Amino acid sequence: MANLTSMSGFLLMGFSDNRELQILHALLFLATYLLALTGNLLIITVTSLDHHLQSPMYYFLKHLSLLDLCFISVTVPQSITNSLMNNGYISYVQCILQVFFFIALASSEVAILTVMSYDRYVSICRPLQYETIMNPCICRYAVTAVWLAGGLSGLMHTAVNFSIPLCGERVIHQFFCDVPQMLKLACSHEFIHEIAVAAFTTSAAFICLVSIVLSYVHIFSTVLRIPSAEGRTKVFATCLPHLFVVTFFLSTAGFEFLQPPSDSQSGMDIMLSIFYTVIPPTLNPVIYSLRNEAMKAALKKVLSKGEFAQRKMYLKTIFKF
């Protein structure tokens, strides 16, 4: 903690100064990270190889899993390393990269969830026009827009946030370079531009939220008119997991970023950050595969010995070229 004002990087305080708790935190985060890595890689593999899972819904799900995989990799490995090494220091360049990729991937995640809700709306409420509206070309454009929008958001936040003069000790009471926590280090009244950028991205996120809500209002009104109980169950099985993911991610992230700033350290800030940085990428593969019969069947098929060997030979043939 000595000479913090003269160091070029930042000190991440993390969860605790107790060595035993640091080891416990590292082990829990490592187990969570491996679970998220395995689950999302399985979904990416299955939706890429199984010809039954080539519809727009699974195409968007594959990109959601890719986003989740990258999103959790931005913060968790660094936190594990810091806890194991008993050193919370992060360089200035590392912090810049972490802020950029964190904001970019979080923004892309909100965008892809909005696109997925629109895909469900078209599929259920306008089934006769589904193939025309959600054709492969439109899907590719939508995914490209998702990644570009996220990158633009990350670039704006990073450029503005790191142009702000910092005063005092460079101590961040988080396990990663969190923008709200970093703004507490800014000199007084020097972060008006960051507030403007945050207002713009918050407005965009609110528009996404409204679009999702409207999509599900139409979806549920259509579903309730379906005479078959089996048909209603099938629709709910594909829509409710997505609705849960959207609600959980946006509510926790929104509460964290929109709460009034405070100079005091709060354990609630760290807990909320875990809810939107660690838990969604870990639970999404379970949520989307557990209630989806096609996903479960494809997973069993890929993981079976004969099918796995066949897919392995197929991948080897591809990589030779």
Side-chain angles (χ1 to χ4, degrees):
M1 291 290 289
N3 203 24
L4 288 177
T5 55
S6 62
M7 69 180 184
S8 60
F10 300 89
L11 184 66
L12 303 176
M13 294 304 293
F15 295 92
S16 174
D17 292 331
N18 185 282
R19 188 60 186 149
E20 287 75 17
L21 290 178
Q22 287 178 345
I23 298 295
L24 178 62
H25 151 249
L27 292 176
L28 288 175
F29 261 35
L30 179 60
T32 304
Y33 181 65
L34 292 176
L35 184 63
L37 197 70
T38 304
N40 285 294
L41 281 175
L42 274 174
I43 286 185
I44 293 170
T45 303
V46 167
T47 52
S48 298
L49 296 179
D50 196 299
H51 65 277
H52 294 107
L53 303 179
Q54 300 304 311
S55 66
M57 182 179 77
Y58 296 108
Y59 178 69
F60 296 135
L61 178 58
K62 176 169 62 176
H63 281 273
L64 176 64
S65 294
L66 181 58
L67 282 168
D68 282 335
L69 190 61
C70 298
F71 187 57
I72 196 171
S73 297
V74 170
T75 56
V76 171
Q78 178 72 47
S79 180
I80 293 171
T81 302
N82 289 349
S83 294
L84 292 177
M85 300 298 292
N86 194 23
N87 182 6
Y89 177 77
I90 183 171
S91 70
Y92 192 79
V93 174
Q94 284 178 305
C95 197
I96 290 176
L97 292 173
Q98 197 172 69
V99 168
F100 170 75
F101 284 109
F102 181 83
I103 297 294
L105 293 167
S107 301
S108 295
E109 183 129 354
V110 174
I112 196 72
L113 290 171
T114 306
V115 172
M116 291 174 74
S117 68
Y118 180 73
D119 171 69
R120 291 297 83 209
Y121 158 73
V122 176
S123 173
I124 295 167
C125 300
R126 304 173 68 181
L128 298 179
Q129 299 170 295
Y130 181 71
E131 292 186 3
T132 304
I133 296 174
M134 303 303 295
N135 63 72
C137 184
I138 295 296
C139 292
R140 285 193 294 270
Y141 283 144
V143 167
T144 302
V146 162
W147 286 94
L148 288 177
L152 180 61
S153 177
L155 190 62
M156 288 192 301
H157 274 281
T158 305
V160 172
N161 190 64
F162 285 93
S163 65
I164 299 172
L166 303 179
C167 298
E169 298 176 342
R170 297 190 174 191
V171 179
I172 300 175
H173 294 287
Q174 261 295 3
F175 63 93
F176 65 100
C177 289
D178 188 28
V179 171
Q181 293 294 326
M182 292 185 68
L183 289 179
K184 295 178 181 180
L185 308 179
C187 299
S188 181
H189 307 298
E190 293 285 351
F191 49 86
I192 187 66
H193 296 298
E194 172 61 28
I195 293 176
V197 172
F200 173 76
T201 53
T202 302
S203 300
F206 181 73
I207 292 172
C208 290
L209 178 61
V210 171
S211 301
I212 292 169
V213 170
L214 290 176
S215 295
Y216 274 98
V217 167
H218 287 291
I219 287 171
F220 288 136
S221 64
T222 302
V223 169
L224 292 176
R225 291 198 299 267
I226 296 176
S228 168
E230 184 180 350
R232 289 196 299 270
T233 303
K234 185 177 180 180
V235 172
F236 281 128
T238 57
C239 292
L240 288 180
H242 178 258
L243 187 59
F244 174 79
V245 169
V246 170
T247 305
F248 189 82
F249 181 77
L250 290 181
S251 60
T252 52
F255 187 82
E256 165 69 7
F257 280 88
L258 296 178
Q259 65 177 325
S262 173
D263 294 330
S264 60
Q265 179 186 3
S266 171
M268 183 61 69
D269 292 335
I270 295 181
M271 291 303 299
L272 281 173
S273 65
I274 292 176
F275 282 138
Y276 67 84
T277 59
V278 179
I279 294 179
T282 307
L283 290 184
N284 282 356
V286 180
I287 291 170
Y288 279 106
S289 60
L290 203 60
R291 293 184 60 91
N292 190 309
E293 294 299 327
M295 280 294 299
K296 287 193 285 187
L299 282 170
K300 290 178 182 178
K301 189 177 178 182
V302 169
L303 294 176
S304 64
K305 291 183 179 180
E307 184 70 18
F308 182 77
Q310 183 180 352
R311 299 298 185 187
K312 188 176 179 182
M313 290 298 295
Y314 173 72
L315 290 173
K316 283 183 177 179
T317 305
I318 293 176
F319 285 124
K320 282 181 182 179
F321 293 97

